[in-house]
Amino acid sequence: MALTWHFTEDLRVVASVADGFRFGGVNTINELTNGISGQPFFFESDSVRNYELGVRSTWWDRRMTADFTAFYIEWDNTQVQTQWNSTFQAVDNVGGVLVRGAELAFQAVLPWNLTGTLNASYVDSHTTEFFESDGEGAVEVGETLPNAPMWTGA
């Protein structure tokens, strides 16, 4: 569900709530196929609910655009890639993850029909439930989600 409010022709506010999921599956390298004890045979589906609030504005006859979005994500039974025996990778489920952040983007039409863009984002993602995996060990509540950078930009 999304709502858009056109405050003016060059300024609008967007609010949205979205639900999603990914199917679970079978790890192709598991205890039955390679004899590694504790490696999960199956991984479960995960689900996500995303709340966003954003502002878009344009200037100079729409030659420059600025977007700002803040988001809050509740992610249950999160699928993560884990490493086993320092060699094999498998998918496992973390109990829950909370993700909060913001994104900022600028785009401008420059002379000679060139376009310049600038993007930056901040993401704070951490576990909300204790998780234990033979591949990763104990993951306490509040730990950062693996492979989730806090700052990105382009």
Side-chain angles (χ1 to χ4, degrees):
M1 177 180 80
L3 298 171
T4 303
W5 177 38
H6 294 269
F7 186 71
T8 67
E9 186 176 308
D10 295 323
L11 178 65
R12 69 176 168 223
V13 176
V14 177
S16 69
V17 176
D19 290 325
F21 73 98
R22 289 183 295 182
F23 288 109
V26 176
N27 283 308
T28 55
I29 298 175
N30 55 60
E31 190 170 351
L32 293 178
T33 61
N34 68 6
I36 297 175
S37 177
Q39 191 170 17
F41 187 71
F42 294 102
F43 57 95
E44 299 176 22
S45 297
D46 60 358
S47 63
V48 65
R49 174 164 280 179
N50 181 35
Y51 304 89
E52 289 189 19
L53 181 62
V55 177
R56 170 173 273 188
S57 63
T58 58
W59 302 292
W60 301 310
D61 294 324
R62 300 203 168 135
R63 295 180 59 83
M64 183 170 187
T65 304
D67 292 299
F68 175 78
T69 303
F71 54 88
Y72 180 90
I73 301 170
E74 298 168 343
W75 198 355
D76 293 321
N77 219 18
T78 310
Q79 296 174 7
V80 294
Q81 195 83 28
T82 61
Q83 190 166 351
W84 300 81
N85 281 359
S86 301
T87 305
F88 302 104
Q89 290 189 343
V91 177
D92 207 349
N93 294 95
V94 173
V97 172
L98 179 64
V99 182
R100 295 178 287 212
E103 300 173 331
L104 181 63
F106 290 100
Q107 182 171 341
V109 177
L110 304 171
W112 306 290
N113 288 324
L114 296 173
T115 302
T117 59
L118 175 65
N119 301 297
S121 67
Y122 169 80
V123 178
D124 172 28
S125 60
H126 59 273
T127 58
T128 58
E129 297 178 28
F130 175 80
F131 167 72
E132 190 159 359
S133 163
D134 287 343
E136 299 297 319
V139 178
E140 299 292 333
V141 172
E143 297 228 7
T144 301
L145 190 63
N147 300 318
M150 187 174 281
W151 289 98
T152 59

